[in-house]
Amino acid sequence: MATTTEKKSGGILETIKTIVYALLIAGIFRSLFFQPFWIPSGSMKDTLLIGDFLFVNKMSYGYSYASCPSIKIPRFGINIDATDFCGWADGDNTRLFGSEPERGDVVVFRHPITGGDFIKRLVGLPGDKIQVRNGVLIINGTPVEVQPDGKFVEVAEPQGPQRLSPRCENSPVGTGGTCEKSKFVETLPNGVSHSILNIENRNSADNTALYVVPEKHYFFMGDNRDNSSDSRVPSIVGGVGFVPYENLIGRADRVMFSSAGRSMLFFWTWRSDRYFKAIQ
């Protein structure tokens, strides 16, 4: 007959085993199927807002080393990168069960140098010639169709956990004032239409050099065109540059819910109009 001490030790062991199994199952699910992603910045406004919570479909493009999870919790000193799990698969720019992304997809990918997760819109495919002139995207020598669509309006106040203040076309705007950006509908060559925002046409990202996208690489841009670090600037000088095929993590299809507060746990700040909102 088991003693009380043996029962307690057995119960603790079973609890530990249950936790380990749960973590393994969660890790496998996160690696193979869906990865949670919380939008930290305004680079994809108004398609995605700071505080949007979504799941990234990892089955969309197959699997590579980037499909393995990264676990970063600075508060507890945890910094486990995908390469720590799957570094053996890094470097050949291939994918298992791979399929090609489509122009216009909203994609989460690993930054080619820092390894951080980014989310942007895919506008350039391998072999494409990409340039931006006066804020207009030009693909293979043809400007994309752009139609005015009014104004995007938000409150000029700190947003999200990083307390980022939005940039405004009608600056200067005091805290609590109305922040405006010009809104357009951009239609890509394959017929995909989506919203983009404009603040000014004076910065270098509005007038770029001509880029030729290498084989098995992609060119990404944020929908908030004047507030996005993307492929218009090479990765070696602080941008994103061309993104290798193997760095794609998955496609973002739908916002699950959205928090306008400092934490997604502040349910009273959730935006009622963004539950299960399709990403276009």
Side-chain angles (χ1 to χ4, degrees), residues 9-10 26 41 57 59 67 72 80 86 88-89 91 94 100 102 111 114 137 147 174 193 231 245 252 254 269 277:
S9 62
S41 73
N57 185 351
M59 297 177 285
S67 302
K72 302 179 187 294
I80 303 174
C86 300
W88 53 272
T94 61
E100 299 294 329
E102 296 183 5
H111 189 281
T114 68
L137 173 63
Q147 294 293 332
S193 294
S231 294
Y245 181 43
R254 190 172 297 273
T269 67
K277 183 178 177 64

Side-chain angles (χ1 to χ4, degrees), residues 189-212:
N190 60 344
V192 173
S193 294
H194 60 96
S195 175
I196 61 172
L197 302 181
N198 182 69
I199 301 171
E200 59 182 2
N201 287 323
R202 298 191 301 271
N203 62 44
S204 59
D206 285 319
N207 292 278
T208 71
L210 179 67
Y211 296 103
V212 180

Side-chain angles (χ1 to χ4, degrees), residues 30-92:
R30 189 177 186 273
S31 297
L32 296 180
F33 302 111
F34 297 97
Q35 175 176 318
F37 194 86
W38 194 31
I39 303 301
S41 73
S43 68
M44 282 294 291
K45 290 178 180 177
D46 65 331
T47 303
L48 296 171
L49 304 181
I50 295 176
D52 281 353
F53 181 83
L54 51 88
F55 284 100
V56 179
N57 185 351
K58 288 191 169 185
M59 297 177 285
S60 300
Y61 312 128
Y63 304 94
S64 70
Y65 86 96
S67 302
C68 287
S70 295
I71 305 173
K72 302 179 187 294
I73 311 177
R75 181 181 301 179
F76 299 103
I78 298 175
N79 185 13
I80 303 174
D81 190 73
T83 55
D84 295 326
F85 293 111
C86 300
W88 53 272
D90 183 14
D92 59 0

Side-chain angles (χ1 to χ4, degrees), residues 142-249:
T142 303
V144 300
E145 180 184 342
V146 178
Q147 294 293 332
D149 192 34
K151 296 285 186 180
F152 173 72
V153 178
E154 60 185 334
V155 178
E157 61 183 5
Q159 301 174 354
Q162 299 181 42
R163 313 310 291 156
L164 301 175
S165 295
R167 292 181 59 202
C168 311
E169 188 176 24
N170 58 326
S171 291
V173 179
T175 301
T178 299
C179 177
E180 297 180 354
K181 300 175 182 63
S182 292
K183 184 177 177 181
F184 300 86
V185 174
E186 178 180 86
T187 301
L188 299 173
N190 60 344
V192 173
S193 294
H194 60 96
S195 175
I196 61 172
L197 302 181
N198 182 69
I199 301 171
E200 59 182 2
N201 287 323
R202 298 191 301 271
N203 62 44
S204 59
D206 285 319
N207 292 278
T208 71
L210 179 67
Y211 296 103
V212 180
V213 184
E215 182 182 358
K216 288 190 175 182
H217 287 72
Y218 297 91
F219 195 98
F220 289 90
M221 292 176 65
D223 289 348
N224 191 359
R225 291 292 164 82
D226 293 319
N227 194 33
S228 175
S229 175
D230 51 40
S231 294
R232 289 173 289 180
V233 177
S235 57
I236 58 173
V237 292
V240 170
F242 303 123
V243 177
Y245 181 43
E246 67 179 351
N247 281 42
L248 307 186
I249 294 175

